[in-house]
Amino acid sequence: MTNNPTQKERAFRIRLDHYRAWDAASLVRLGLVIAAIVGGIGFAIWCFATPSGTLAATHGPISKTHAMWESNCAACHVAGEPLRTGAWRLTSTTSTSGGRCQACHVVADHHGCPTDADQACAACHQEHRGESVDLTQVDDSACTVCHADLRSHSFDLEFVIDAGVSGFPQPHPEFKSVANAIEQGDPGNLAFSHSRHMRLGLSSLPDLSETKPGDHFSYNDMSLSDRERYLPQGGKLTDLVQLECASCHQPGSTANSNETAATLTGFEPIDFDQHCGACHREQLRVPHGLRLDELDEHLTFLARSTWFESLTKKPGILAELERPIPGRTRIPTGATQEIEEKLTAAKATIANKCRECHVVDDQSLAVAPPKVPNVWLPKAHFDHHAHRAMQCRECHPGSYSKAKRLSLAEMANESKLVDIPGKDNCAQCHAPKAGATGGARHDCITCHRYHKSSPSTESFSNGSLTANDFLEGATHVEPAN
């Protein structure tokens, strides 16, 4: 072969089956592929066959609430069906995994919107984010995804208060009940002055030196049972009464349409016998709360009883009477007229007394029933207990004693005012931190609940699970025959 080989000579140097030969790099690549396939199959078998493998395959640790099913995926998941309705799935059927949630957590639906495909539990309550995660603490984005542009989601705009809410305090609207009260006044049908009742001695005048003895109230004016309740420790019966907010507003179980259960976050409704009667019971002379027919019967009985007691002083009338027979005694015409006059005068006096607190019809003398709302913010959840460290006057300044004397007209106007704080008052604390203000929680779920009504009473009925069934993740067990 010459020093300058031809092209044909060069071609003979290359083996025609060189691509079939296994070099070192090819062997390494083949080994890695086989190892990956075998390892993947083995990992899948390990994940499905062993509890420790199941934990390794999860998206992350689950919350302490569900820790008992850490290694039992089937307690919550249906094979091949993702929990989120909008997620990619192997089958075309609707996911039934959400039913596993409601087997334990029986809650009502939200306001259904046909344009919203994903209202599954897992759309808001996302697991596998750590042991300390509270599943009820839902991010604002779960709410604002609809409420930031509610017109494109809601099918019934008649009940939409504001179609664009993406946060608090802005652009959140003013509370509807507060806005209505500002425009229409207090709906309670009661004339009540908080400021007068917060004054020492319940006086109509701010300066006691200007009052007369009958213008103020002492603990000695109360009944024995009421004195024990209102008299402060170390106080004397001759002391003037000093009411506090807690004298009438007592914590109680209140629930509105957005709460899932009644909780001790509000106050018991005001009741005359319990809260007002201590000072006003003796002033009425007749039982409080009588219907018109009951009041007529009661006054007629009193008027006739008074007339019969006066017979001994009127012998002329006594001579006209037949032998008294209970329920059948005939009353002379003149006496009947006298009784009717007393009855009419008594009704007028009582009606005027009722008008001090109630709205009374001038013709029928019927008293309009009080309509004081038990819950002032029906579309929200407010927890008074959570605000127990605050002075009441921080949110209700209009309910405290005023330094000036109030006229009857001013007292009437005061009773029409609703001393429920608006959005700006809340935003002093519940807003993003800005200097000396804000910093408290201001997310949607602080005040609002997604599920619109109370749970079904069926959730408290006798279940079908034993303790072992529950720990194993069963949702329902048919009772044995």
Side-chain angles (χ1 to χ4, degrees), residues 160-209:
V160 173
I161 299 173
D162 195 292
V165 180
S166 57
F168 187 88
Q170 297 297 338
H172 194 287
E174 180 57 275
F175 307 145
K176 186 178 180 181
S177 57
V178 175
N180 289 345
I182 294 173
E183 179 181 347
Q184 304 171 11
D186 188 347
N189 286 337
L190 283 177
F192 182 84
S193 171
H194 271 93
S195 63
R196 177 174 180 177
H197 284 78
M198 294 295 284
R199 283 182 181 153
L200 182 63
L202 281 67
S203 172
S204 59
L205 301 176
D207 188 355
L208 286 178
S209 63

Side-chain angles (χ1 to χ4, degrees), residues 438-459:
R441 282 187 56 181
H442 56 281
D443 49 352
C444 300
I445 64 170
T446 300
C447 300
H448 297 287
R449 298 294 181 263
Y450 177 87
H451 301 287
K452 63 183 179 181
S453 61
S454 300
S456 167
T457 54
E458 294 179 0
S459 61

Side-chain angles (χ1 to χ4, degrees), residues 59 66 76-78 81-87 89 95-102 105 107 117-129 133 135-139 141-142 145 450-451:
H59 292 289
H66 299 144
C76 299
H77 295 273
V78 177
E81 295 184 4
L83 288 175
R84 297 192 58 167
T85 57
R89 62 186 66 253
S95 175
T96 59
S97 294
R100 296 294 181 92
C101 302
Q102 294 211 30
H105 307 282
V107 294
D118 196 356
Q119 287 192 352
C121 303
C124 300
H125 307 287
Q126 298 176 7
E127 260 288 9
H128 297 289
R129 293 182 294 144
V133 170
L135 298 181
T136 64
Q137 299 300 308
V138 179
D139 189 78
S141 60
V145 67
Y450 177 87
H451 301 287

Side-chain angles (χ1 to χ4, degrees), residues 334-350:
T336 301
Q337 183 178 355
E338 181 182 347
I339 291 175
E340 290 298 329
E341 290 175 355
K342 290 184 177 181
L343 189 60
T344 301
K347 286 183 178 179
T349 301
I350 291 175

